[in-house]
Amino acid sequence: MPIAMESTDELTGVAAWAVELMEQLGGLGAGTAIALENLFPPLPSEIILPLAGFTASKGQFGLAEALIWTTLGSVIGALALYGLGVLLGRDRLRAIIDRMPLVQLSDFDRTEEWFARHGGKAVFFGRMIPIFRSLISIPAGVERMPVGRFTLLTTAGSLIWNSVFVLSGYFLGENWPVVQTYAGILQKLVILAVLVAAVAYCVRVWTRHRRIRQVRMWQ
């Protein structure tokens, strides 16, 4: 049964693709779209999830079905990236980092120690942060976080994130695009915070290298 809604008549790109997938496969289509969003972060969950809620409000499938399928899709996508981290492995990742400019293995070792202490929080809260919600699965795999714990934390974090957007689309109805506006603001803030952190990190590494060179010159 096609989705009869005036507000989706002119949808294009990812939104049109997601609607067509949901029309063809129902809740499974919503789950598939979110699984792919995890594997390919440029696919925006901030569009797919509200559309899943809106589609559920039109009777294409139930609200509970939308929440279950989208959360299942999130977990499947996250497990795929977790597996990539496992295959990549610590030694291979260290070898890659060792060839990167301005990055020291000691920095990686400290990051590894931090993840060992806070990995659970990183996985849980990372599922609710745009961009990082997919990427956080890779270090979890590299560090061999127990797959059961990873799955549980990913499920919990994804359920919260998905519920916010699916329910927003469900209750906003044809005004569901409003969600995208606020999600876009959130994503810009996250990107800004990451850029600031990246610049601060580069400055710290550059300063450390400069100090090391100065010490060697005086020896």
Side-chain angles (χ1 to χ4, degrees):
M1 180 179 65
I3 304 173
M5 54 184 103
E6 295 178 0
S7 64
T8 60
D9 288 344
E10 298 180 359
L11 288 179
T12 58
V14 173
W17 166 78
V19 167
E20 183 177 358
L21 199 61
M22 293 177 208
E23 287 180 349
Q24 298 296 325
L25 301 177
L28 175 59
T32 301
I34 289 300
L36 292 174
E37 176 266 335
N38 276 260
L39 297 174
F40 305 101
L43 293 176
S45 64
E46 296 86 350
I47 291 178
I48 297 172
L49 290 170
L51 271 174
F54 183 32
T55 306
S57 73
K58 293 296 182 180
Q60 188 74 13
F61 43 80
L63 177 59
E65 191 178 356
L67 293 172
I68 291 171
W69 276 111
T70 54
T71 300
L72 181 60
S74 295
V75 173
I76 291 173
L79 285 172
L81 291 176
Y82 174 92
L84 176 63
V86 171
L87 291 175
L88 188 62
R90 182 175 182 271
D91 293 338
R92 189 174 299 174
L93 184 59
R94 282 176 63 87
I96 293 172
I97 289 175
D98 194 33
R99 291 193 292 267
M100 296 175 63
L102 299 179
V103 179
Q104 293 183 330
L105 285 176
S106 58
D107 294 324
F108 170 78
D109 292 336
R110 281 192 289 271
T111 301
E112 187 177 37
E113 292 172 1
W114 179 89
F115 192 88
R117 293 195 303 269
H118 307 289
K121 296 177 183 177
V123 170
F124 176 74
F125 290 107
R127 297 304 304 174
M128 293 173 269
I129 300 177
I131 301 173
F132 299 106
R133 48 193 312 272
S134 298
L135 300 179
I136 193 61
S137 302
I138 297 177
V142 170
E143 298 301 324
R144 300 297 181 95
M145 173 182 282
V147 67
R149 183 172 182 236
F150 173 79
T151 302
L152 181 62
L153 291 168
T154 298
T155 301
S158 298
L159 181 59
I160 294 172
W161 174 266
N162 293 357
S163 295
V164 169
F165 284 91
V166 170
L167 289 172
S168 296
Y170 185 86
F171 289 111
L172 283 172
E174 295 185 359
N175 293 319
W176 68 267
V178 172
V179 180
Q180 186 182 354
T181 300
Y182 291 101
I185 295 173
L186 173 62
Q187 183 165 326
K188 287 182 176 64
L189 290 174
V190 171
I191 292 173
L192 178 61
V194 171
L195 289 175
V196 170
V199 170
Y201 173 78
C202 290
V203 170
R204 181 168 60 86
V205 171
W206 178 80
T207 303
R208 182 187 304 151
H209 280 284
R210 184 180 178 184
R211 288 175 180 171
I212 292 174
R213 286 197 301 268
Q214 290 175 343
V215 169
R216 288 176 179 174
M217 288 176 60
W218 287 100
Q219 288 179 344

